RNA sequence: GUCCCCAUCGUCUAGUCCGGCCCAGGACGCGGCCCUUUCAAGGCCGAAACACGGGUUCGAAUCCCGUUGGGGACGCCA
């Protein structure tokens, strides 16, 4: 709430939301956006944001994935407010640590006659499903174990299924889609507890959302069809149903669900490619949500403006090009000292030694960052394009050398170099005035003397303005580069 | 097959709830021009969309029905 809001007065319970990823891989952009929307909603409403790891499938869950998800959440700045304490901070909730809770609730359902044991094997079920599909029939479970009762001791256990009543309709009052209705008859007796005692997704989610007093379930709309089942579960448990907001999915360029084949979809891959977290957050926020025509938002603005009503109903295609533009905008606005700090690993990756960077000092590195930040869209692009201002060999673009470093241009380089030597101070201002006078004396435009210098210094036809650049490089490096250039075959 | 969701420029979207202000606005990308020391950045200009068909209405991008297209779900995965 902004100011004077009433979202959390005594009569309305405080908003509590959660992001509940399964640790089966890295945090991909779709998951990141779901997390972000939950987080923004919580922060906007002054509520609580919970992170819960859905690791009830030991086959697919890994600790590396958990670590990766946490790392990505932290990178994006999505902090959570509750959880078991781990070293003075909140860790995420993990469903694998809460198994007793699910079993306890299953027991209640069993005892109340709302659930029953099913002894059909996975193979039988699969075979029946296949047959039904071939025959064009419903794929629903037929409920043949219904009469078996709820006592596991009589016949040996099996899986626990929820018994559906199946007469009316379930309606989801979805906060983004509006009302969505399902016939009870569509629902089958789904499994709550597997025969190994592990809860299934639908069951664990409901138990945890109840226990964690979740008020709003904000998740991808690929979960819409799970929702009526979950509502049935709340009803069977005799517990209040939270509000739902199903946000549209993010698609790849082919308009199908985003996946590995669409390229680097892990959020941390973008960090490695030189993206700023605020650019990613801004892009993700704006993908499926809007606030008028505004494109660039500070975190405070995002929190202040974010409402579920403004979330669109249309699936969105992930556009890396626009993300890159946004990243460029953020790089351009970043303060040089932060930029320089972020840049260090990227400079190292493009060949600079750590010691070399140390030697240069932060002030100098910041000046470099400041000089290049307006013309880079990623940190790695900035790092590699600024490589030549450091000591060391550079590669020269042959075409540029051939075109710009003509015999005539070299002659000019030579005389200019001699004149620079006589300059009282090696500063951008002094250099500029020297170059301008020389150019005028020769009846040339500044570009005609600047461009050969640019190629001599950088090996390329593209660089920041050469005078501040030369000052930064220093006279020794400038002279060395020009002398090397003079030896190049034009 | 059954159920569900969605439908404005290539893409993200404003406008849709409470029809007229919309021969549809912004942004990315694209093309052009300006600025300029190259490249960016910035500024200006341009091409580019209401899926289709029926209604309702004086009037529809906006409301209703249908069609088509796309997507999702139907698991002892989440």
């Amino acid at each position: 709430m902004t100011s004077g809001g009433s979202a959390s007065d005594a009569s309305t319970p405080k908003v509590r939301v959660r992001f509940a990823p399964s640790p089966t891989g890295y945090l991909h952009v779709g998951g990141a956006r779901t997390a972000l929307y939950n987080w923004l909603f919580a922060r906007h409403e002054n509520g609580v944001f919970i992170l819960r790891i859905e690791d009830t499938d030991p086959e697919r869950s890994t600790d590396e994935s958990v670590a990766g998800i946490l790392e990505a959440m932290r990178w994006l700045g999505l902090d959570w407010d509750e959880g078991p304490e781990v070293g003075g901070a909140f860790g995420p909730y993990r469903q694998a640590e809460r198994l007793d809770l699910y079993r306890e609730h299953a027991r209640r359902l069993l005892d109340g006659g709302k659930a029953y044991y099913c002894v059909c094997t996975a193979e039988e079920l699969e075979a029946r499903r296949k047959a039904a599909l071939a025959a064009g029939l419903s794929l629903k479970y037929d409920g043949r174990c219904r009469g078996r009762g709820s006592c596991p001791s009589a016949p040996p256990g099996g899986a626990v299924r929820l018994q559906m009543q199946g007469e009316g309709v379930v309606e989801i009052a979805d906060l983004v889609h509006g009302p969505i209705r399902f016939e009870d008859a569509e629902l089958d007796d789904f499994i709550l507890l597997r025969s190994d005692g592990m809860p299934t997704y639908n069951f664990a989610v409901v138990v945890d959302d109840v226990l964690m007093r979740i008020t709003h379930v904000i998740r991808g709309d690929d979960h819409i069809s799970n929702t009526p089942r979950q509502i049935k579960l709340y009803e069977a448990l005799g517990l209040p149903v939270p509000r739902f907001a199903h946000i549209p999915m993010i698609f790849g360029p082919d308009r199908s669900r985003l996946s590995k084949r669409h390229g680097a979809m892990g959020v941390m891959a973008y960090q490695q490619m030189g993206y700023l977290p605020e650019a990613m957050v801004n892009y993700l926020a704006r993908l499926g949500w809007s606030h008028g025509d505004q494109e660039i938002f500070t975190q405070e603005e995002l929190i202040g403006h974010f409402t579920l009503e403004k979330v669109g109903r249309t699936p969105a295609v992930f556009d890396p090009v626009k993300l890159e533009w946004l990243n460029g905008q953020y790089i351009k606005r970043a303060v040089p000292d932060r930029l320089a700090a972020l840049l260090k690993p990227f400079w190292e990756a493009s060949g600079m030694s750590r010691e070399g960077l140390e030697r240069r000092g932060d002030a100098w590195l910041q000046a470099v960052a400041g000089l290049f930040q307006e013309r880079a869209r990623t940190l790695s692009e900035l790092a590699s394009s600024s490589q030549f201002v450091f000591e060391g060999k550079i590669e020269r673009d042959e075409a540029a050398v051939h075109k710009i470093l003509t015999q005539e241009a070299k002659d000019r380089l030579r005389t200019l170099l001699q004149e620079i030597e006589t300059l009282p101070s090696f500063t951008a201002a002094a250099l500029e005035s020297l170059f301008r006078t020389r150019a005028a004396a020769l009846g040339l435009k500044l570009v005609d003397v600047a461009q050969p210098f640019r190629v001599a210094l950088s090996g390329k036809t593209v660089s920041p303005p050469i005078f501040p650049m030369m000052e930064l490089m220093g006279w020794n490096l400038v002279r060395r580069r020009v002398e090397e250039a003079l030896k190049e075959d034009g």
Side-chain angles (χ1 to χ4, degrees):
Chain A
M1 241 25 255
T2 39
S3 61
S6 59
S8 50
D9 60 35
S11 59
T12 39
K14 194 174 199 176
V15 160
R16 295 173 61 86
V17 295
R18 73 339 187 245
F19 172 56
S22 64
T24 55
Y26 45 57
L27 182 66
H28 55 92
V29 298
R33 192 193 53 166
T34 302
L36 175 64
Y37 281 16
N38 273 283
W39 183 86
L40 286 173
F41 182 67
R43 294 292 170 262
H44 177 87
E45 297 290 343
N46 230 293
V48 171
F49 174 66
I50 288 171
L51 177 62
R52 185 175 75 215
I53 304 294
E54 313 234 312
D55 52 356
T56 54
D57 184 0
E59 301 279 291
R60 302 200 308 149
S61 303
T62 66
D63 284 342
E64 298 76 68
S65 296
V66 175
I69 290 166
L70 298 189
E71 183 191 18
M73 294 287 287
R74 292 196 189 100
W75 182 64
L76 293 169
L78 306 181
D79 54 332
W80 53 99
D81 306 315
E82 276 183 18
E85 212 175 298
V86 181
F90 291 125
Y93 288 106
R94 297 186 61 151
Q95 291 187 325
E97 293 166 357
R98 301 164 60 81
L99 300 177
D100 289 346
L101 266 11
Y102 312 123
R103 288 169 193 159
E104 192 183 308
H105 282 77
R107 187 74 254 160
R108 271 177 55 191
L109 259 8
L110 249 9
D111 290 344
K114 305 251 167 81
Y116 60 92
Y117 281 97
C118 170
V119 295
C120 301
T121 66
E123 296 71 41
E124 288 166 359
L125 260 13
E126 182 55 32
R128 279 182 234 149
R129 243 191 318 273
K130 264 177 128 172
L133 194 59
L137 298 169
S138 167
L139 304 179
K140 287 161 45 187
Y141 175 65
D142 59 11
R144 63 177 64 190
C145 287
R146 274 191 176 192
R148 301 184 56 84
S150 62
C151 179
S153 54
V160 176
R161 286 186 186 269
L162 182 72
Q163 178 152 339
M164 291 290 176
Q165 305 88 313
E167 290 300 285
V169 289
V170 214
E171 185 174 291
I172 310 172
D174 194 278
L175 263 16
V176 347
H177 288 281
I180 304 170
R181 300 157 151 272
F182 290 86
E183 300 281 335
D184 281 353
E186 303 289 337
L187 276 19
D188 65 357
D189 296 349
F190 62 95
I191 289 175
L192 267 24
L193 244 34
R194 307 184 223 169
S195 40
D196 64 0
M198 292 297 274
T200 59
Y201 164 76
N202 277 119
F203 186 52
V205 163
V206 169
V207 172
D208 279 337
D209 284 345
V210 162
L211 261 21
M212 295 174 187
R213 307 189 325 279
I214 298 302
T215 57
H216 300 254
V217 173
I218 304 169
R219 64 191 2 166
D221 69 10
D222 48 335
H223 284 291
I224 286 179
S225 53
N226 283 321
T227 308
R229 289 173 230 286
Q230 294 180 11
I231 289 176
K232 287 296 177 190
L233 248 177
Y234 283 99
E235 290 172 354
L237 255 9
L239 292 161
V241 181
R243 314 264 275 154
F244 292 97
H246 287 100
I247 64 181
M249 310 213 306
I250 298 178
F251 285 167
D254 61 354
R255 296 210 155 265
S256 75
R257 184 186 195 130
L258 219 42
S259 68
K260 305 99 236 146
R261 81 195 142 83
H262 291 119
M265 297 291 88
V267 159
M268 293 314 282
Y270 285 91
Q271 185 222 31
Q272 280 151 26
M273 292 188 286
Y275 285 75
L276 263 25
E278 59 268 41
M280 179 57 84
V281 163
N282 193 146
Y283 178 72
L284 256 21
R286 199 56 192 57
L287 195 65
W289 170 86
S290 63
H291 178 69
D293 289 337
Q294 190 170 345
E295 295 287 348
I296 297 178
F297 296 83
T298 62
Q299 181 177 279
E300 292 67 37
E301 289 175 315
L302 247 22
I303 291 171
H305 295 309
F306 188 83
T307 60
L308 259 14
E309 293 74 61
K310 298 296 283 181
V311 173
R313 292 168 301 276
T314 328
V317 174
F318 184 82
D319 179 7
V321 177
K322 187 160 184 179
L323 204 211
E324 193 178 70
W325 168 77
L326 251 181
N327 199 53
Q329 292 293 316
Y330 277 97
I331 287 181
K332 188 156 59 78
R333 289 165 168 75
V335 290
D337 63 333
R338 174 162 90 113
L339 213 46
L342 290 170
L343 242 13
K344 283 179 186 171
F346 290 94
W347 273 321
E348 283 188 46
S350 30
M352 255 64 72
S353 71
R354 185 165 304 203
E355 300 70 46
L357 293 172
E358 290 288 321
R359 206 163 43 238
R360 284 306 201 164
D362 285 343
W364 188 82
L365 294 175
Q366 285 164 27
V368 174
L371 201 54
F372 283 82
Q373 72 184 135
E374 203 159 272
R375 60 211 88 227
R377 292 191 156 200
T378 65
L379 296 174
S380 55
E381 181 193 338
L382 201 168
S384 58
S385 68
S386 60
Q387 216 176 347
F388 69 87
V389 303
F390 293 83
E391 310 279 344
K393 287 257 176 296
I394 58 166
E395 280 185 26
R396 291 174 191 276
D397 170 5
E398 257 181 66
V401 170
H402 186 74
K403 185 173 172 227
I404 306 292
L405 293 184
T406 57
Q407 208 41 58
E408 200 184 5
K410 284 180 174 173
D411 291 342
R412 268 181 242 137
L413 280 180
R414 237 183 302 268
T415 43
L416 232 16
L417 207 55
Q418 284 161 13
E419 291 184 80
I420 291 172
E421 202 147 17
T422 70
L423 239 34
S425 65
F426 191 76
T427 62
L431 290 162
E432 177 159 4
S433 102
L434 169 67
F435 275 58
R436 284 195 188 276
T437 359
R438 283 303 304 166
L442 292 164
L444 295 168
K445 285 183 282 189
L446 182 56
V447 64
D448 297 316
V449 291
Q451 204 57 348
F453 250 87
R454 191 183 314 281
V455 174
L457 297 173
S458 72
K460 300 174 292 189
T461 54
V462 171
S463 85
I466 55 168
F467 306 120
M469 196 173 88
M470 287 165 79
E471 183 179 328
L472 214 50
M473 291 172 76
W475 170 230
N476 285 336
L477 182 57
V478 166
R479 179 172 48 199
R480 207 180 83 214
R481 285 280 162 73
V482 173
E483 281 165 356
E484 282 165 10
L486 291 173
K487 294 186 208 124
E488 291 279 332
D489 299 325

